[in-house]
Amino acid sequence: QSRESKTVMGRSFKDIDMEALTEMILRSDLVDFNLPESLDECVTLYNDTLREFLDIVAPEIPRVLPQKDRPIWYTLVCQAAKRNRRKAERWYRRVLKQSCDGKVLCAALTKLRQANAEASLTIRK
């Protein structure tokens, strides 16, 4: 039993003609020195102009996403354990980039191992 599918709008940025987009931007009002003085008007001008160009080079396409029911065993506890594991992995990567100090690295590894152990135990229950 699966739920209804969901339709979302998205753009494909893979095949954008960057030269054409650059030309459009260069010929637009965005490069004028006579921009509005109000910040809100500037933001509106940028948003509207860039959205107009994106609609030309990468139009929005509707995509259908199937909505599946969760397996019975995948509870909120499993979801929380998985989230904590990913959080620990992100923390580990950030710490690893900041410092290669042995103590900091050891603490990061310990935290990552604890998150992995919690996730494994939760899923096995």
Side-chain angles (χ1 to χ4, degrees):
Q1 302 174 6
S2 63
R3 295 181 277 175
E4 295 291 320
S5 57
K6 180 180 177 182
T7 303
V8 295
M9 299 300 286
R11 296 179 190 271
S12 176
F13 291 102
K14 288 189 285 184
D15 300 324
I16 288 181
D17 184 1
M18 291 304 289
E19 291 179 18
L21 181 60
T22 304
E23 282 295 316
M24 288 182 209
I25 292 172
L26 290 175
R27 284 188 265 126
S28 72
D29 294 336
L30 298 179
V31 294
D32 285 346
F33 292 108
N34 299 328
L35 291 175
E37 291 184 24
S38 165
L39 178 63
D40 290 336
E41 290 175 6
C42 281
V43 170
T44 302
L45 176 67
Y46 272 81
N47 283 342
D48 292 346
T49 306
L50 293 177
R51 183 175 305 275
E52 177 185 330
F53 295 155
L54 276 178
D55 287 341
I56 294 169
V57 296
E60 284 189 323
I61 302 168
R63 293 199 170 106
V64 178
L65 302 177
Q67 299 291 312
K68 298 179 183 176
D69 290 332
R70 276 193 196 150
I72 296 171
W73 58 266
Y74 192 78
T75 63
L76 293 176
V77 176
C78 291
Q79 187 177 9
K82 199 171 182 181
R83 184 174 37 246
N84 288 337
R85 178 180 176 179
R86 289 184 186 137
K87 185 177 178 181
E89 288 171 353
R90 286 190 303 271
W91 183 84
Y92 168 74
R93 284 190 209 105
R94 190 180 74 236
V95 167
L96 188 63
K97 286 180 183 177
Q98 288 177 353
S99 170
C100 291
D101 184 13
K103 293 178 184 176
V104 175
L105 188 58
C106 185
L109 286 172
T110 303
K111 188 172 181 178
L112 184 61
R113 285 187 193 119
Q114 288 172 348
N116 283 338
E118 287 177 18
S120 297
L121 288 174
T122 304
I123 291 173
R124 288 183 189 148
K125 286 182 181 179

